[in-house]
Amino acid sequence: MSKFSALLGLSVLFAAPTFAADTDAQVRIVNNSSWDIYNFYISSVDTEEWGPDQLGDDAIASGDSYVFRKIPCDAYDVKIVDEDGDECVVSAIALCAGSESWVIEDDALLECQNAE
């Protein structure tokens, strides 16, 4: 189980890829927490800077989900920022040639935020 799923208590479900490139990944974020997710950053583990906010002007409201498609095969650091500005950072998540679903729950999100 990845560090992300271990720290956040995410349930990881693998399904057949639904995109063109054989090495691209797809991740569906299901926000079952009590807080809206305002920012979602990913960065290759080889980079010290965060990439752009993957949500742009969007947010993942409590009870909603969001799908990130065509993520190039790599190992990533991930940072989630909720509506209160609380951050959860998880390092070295391998994404490659698959489809995953990450479910964010209150307890796991709070535990991750307190671990920093």
Side-chain angles (χ1 to χ4, degrees):
M1 187 173 282
S2 72
K3 289 181 182 180
F4 197 74
S5 45
L7 287 176
L8 290 181
L10 304 174
S11 62
V12 179
L13 307 172
F14 296 94
T18 58
F19 34 80
D22 289 341
T23 59
D24 285 351
Q26 174 176 297
V27 177
R28 179 175 180 244
I29 307 295
V30 179
N31 184 6
N32 283 346
S33 77
S34 299
W35 301 275
D36 294 349
I37 303 297
Y38 279 11
N39 307 102
F40 188 93
Y41 301 95
I42 63 171
S43 176
S44 173
V45 295
D46 298 328
T47 306
E48 293 185 23
E49 300 291 324
W50 287 109
D53 179 7
Q54 298 299 304
L55 294 175
D57 292 331
D58 294 331
I60 309 171
S62 176
D64 284 348
S65 65
Y66 195 95
V67 178
F68 298 99
R69 292 180 171 82
K70 298 184 180 180
I71 302 169
C73 183
D74 202 351
Y76 294 95
D77 296 330
V78 175
K79 177 168 67 170
I80 296 171
V81 182
D82 70 15
E83 64 187 68
D84 295 331
D86 296 322
E87 297 181 358
C88 175
V89 176
V90 182
S91 301
I93 301 169
L95 294 173
C96 194
S99 181
E100 298 185 14
S101 182
W102 298 342
V103 180
I104 301 173
E105 304 280 351
D106 283 349
D107 291 344
L109 187 58
L110 290 170
E111 182 179 327
C112 178
Q113 292 169 351
N114 290 331
E116 296 180 15

